Amino acid sequence: TCALPIYVMLDEYWLGDTHRISPEAPVPIIKITEENFKLGGAGNVAANLAYLGIDVTLVGLIGIDKEAEHLKKIIERQNIKFIPIEHGDYQTINKLRIFSGSQQVIRIDKERANQKLGKLVVDAIDTLKDEHDLIVLSDYAKGALSSVEDIINRFRKAGSKIIVDPKGNDFKKYKNASVITPNLKEFEQIMGPYENEESFISNGFILLQELNLQALLVTRGPEGMSLFFDDQHHHIPAINNDVYDVTGAGDTVIAFFAFGLMNGNSFLDSSNLANKAAGVSVRKRGVSVVSLAEAKANQGQQKKIFKETELSELISLLGSHKESMQKIVFTNGCFDLLHAGHVSYLNEAKRRGDILCIGVNSDDSVRRLKGDTRPINNLYNRMQVLGGLSAIDYLIEFSDDTPEKLISAIKPHLLVKGADYSIDEVIGKEIVESYGGKVELIDLVEGLSTSEAIKKIKS
């Protein structure tokens, strides 16, 4: 089974740090430490579908420029069949986002649309209409889909499902598509603002009938999604996740919705799956792929506490964060009696990256390190208390005396320890530095320690 997304762009990310303001103008100076390129637009839809195991043909209108060359290399690495439509009067769409730490500072767009080139897309995909069960049309109003009516009619006659991510102030051009997936702003642009939920639902059915659609899926941001088909309306509440970055969330929705339909799921089941996938996507930086396991497991709050035997599950989740260019920070300890010094230390550790992962010594490990009277609190209780801190994203136990095996498996970008150590004393330093990671020390709050707290209690 194949899907055929149309329209592609290059998303570029520059990551760095800011330490001072420019003397030339009141702007920050960002020292770039990392550059990344990803597929955007329909390219992101294609990447998600390919990651889900779907055979994808990507047809894209691109220019004859360096951005097009970057796109081709990325697409080739992801094993996506690509039919490029190259034209000298078209600029490959490029969105450059510059980050200082975890904060996006600016976005720079390069584009030169050409509405006269849509016929080239129709000609390029005409021979493919008998080979694909489903086509996804991602419209960004840049010219690639200026002949969208012709595409819809040809694929409808061939018996393919047609899903459209629409754009613009005229949806009549999408008439006879199978499904369209506007966001709330796009929906209101066509149907007008709604006074209450009743008028919203009424407008949904009107649009469904006017365009002769099989289904209408309106994405409503923090309010979730609304699905219309036949005479049914279903509201799907958003899953309560922390929103990190909404970039590409719509691409994730349409990819998982298409995936559900291609696997024989109903409109409602496909929408529920897409909703879960979107909840995962917004926790990642930039356009990102989401695995089927991540989507199915998403019930709201991300799993936070892992047993030692669940290390592979944690590594998979951290791998997803790394693919999203999120900086993984790791530290470890016993954390027996949690005090203000611990909280200050962990908050600072989180500030230095995006995802904070903590290795926690098992009870036997604590006894070997601290003596038979420790720990005061068992592993379960220590994990539960730590899990209540918002700074911490993941916790995992380890039973060895040192976290070296854990560090080797997780491969964090940054390893931190308290400044009561010297850099050379930090266990795991050589491991982290061997693959290009860094080790940093964090100042501790004077006079606060578990040992001192225990002494005061005894006295």
Side-chain angles (χ1 to χ4, degrees), residues 190-259:
I190 299 300
M191 305 304 296
Y194 61 95
E195 298 179 359
N196 49 44
E197 193 66 12
E198 183 177 327
S199 65
F200 170 81
I201 294 171
S202 175
N203 286 342
F205 281 117
I206 291 171
L207 187 61
L208 181 74
Q209 293 167 5
E210 285 184 349
L211 299 184
N212 193 33
L213 305 171
Q214 294 177 23
L216 167 68
L217 180 64
V218 183
T219 57
R220 304 172 67 178
E223 294 182 41
M225 302 177 181
S226 290
L227 174 68
F228 301 84
F229 63 95
D230 297 331
D231 59 351
Q232 298 185 46
H233 163 256
H234 297 270
H235 179 67
I236 304 165
I239 295 177
N240 184 25
N241 284 316
D242 293 331
V243 176
Y244 187 88
D245 188 347
V246 298
T247 306
D251 301 330
T252 302
V253 167
I254 203 167
F256 272 80
F257 184 77
F259 174 81

Side-chain angles (χ1 to χ4, degrees), residues 13-17 33-36 38 99-103 242-247 279-290 294 302 314-330 349-357 391 393-394 410-414 435:
Y13 299 84
W14 291 4
L15 312 180
D17 297 303
T33 57
E34 187 177 348
E35 296 181 28
N36 290 285
K38 291 191 174 186
F99 286 80
S100 175
S102 59
Q103 179 65 47
D242 293 331
V243 176
Y244 187 88
D245 188 347
V246 298
T247 306
V280 176
S281 175
V282 296
R283 293 202 301 265
K284 303 183 179 189
R285 176 187 288 165
V287 291
S288 305
V289 294
V290 175
E294 284 179 299
Q302 183 73 36
L314 174 60
I315 290 172
S316 177
L317 287 171
L318 291 176
S320 180
H321 289 298
K322 290 174 182 177
E323 287 176 0
S324 302
M325 297 174 294
Q326 290 177 291
K327 186 177 181 180
I328 311 299
V329 181
F330 177 86
K350 178 60 179 280
R351 192 189 67 79
R352 299 190 184 195
D354 301 309
I355 301 297
L356 179 58
C357 182
D393 295 287
Y394 301 109
I410 289 175
K411 291 184 172 57
H413 298 98
L414 178 63
Y435 55 79

Side-chain angles (χ1 to χ4, degrees), residues 176-195:
N176 297 322
S178 305
V179 186
I180 66 171
T181 62
N183 61 36
L184 184 59
K185 182 179 179 181
E186 292 163 342
F187 178 80
E188 287 189 292
Q189 190 173 359
I190 299 300
M191 305 304 296
Y194 61 95
E195 298 179 359

Side-chain angles (χ1 to χ4, degrees), residues 45 65 124 134 163 180-181 229 238 248 255 268 297 310 312 317-318 330 332-333 365 376 383 400 411 440 458:
V45 181
D65 44 44
L134 183 145
I163 304 176
I180 66 171
T181 62
F229 63 95
L268 183 56
E310 297 173 321
S312 60
L317 287 171
L318 291 176
F330 177 86
N332 64 279
S365 176
I376 302 298
M383 289 278 218
D400 293 338
K411 291 184 172 57
E440 295 179 2
K458 286 183 175 180

Side-chain angles (χ1 to χ4, degrees), residues 387-452:
L389 298 180
S390 60
I392 298 174
D393 295 287
Y394 301 109
L395 294 155
I396 184 165
E397 67 169 308
F398 67 97
S399 56
D400 293 338
D401 291 345
T402 74
E404 288 178 303
K405 289 182 181 178
L406 193 54
I407 293 169
S408 295
I410 289 175
K411 291 184 172 57
H413 298 98
L414 178 63
L415 171 63
V416 298
K417 287 296 287 184
D420 51 341
Y421 288 83
S422 69
I423 285 285
D424 290 334
E425 291 176 326
V426 176
I427 294 172
K429 172 180 179 291
E430 282 131 10
I431 297 170
V432 172
E433 291 180 342
S434 70
Y435 55 79
K438 294 182 179 180
V439 180
E440 295 179 2
L441 300 179
I442 294 176
D443 290 335
L444 300 178
V445 179
E446 291 186 13
L448 293 177
S449 74
T450 300
S451 297
E452 289 300 317

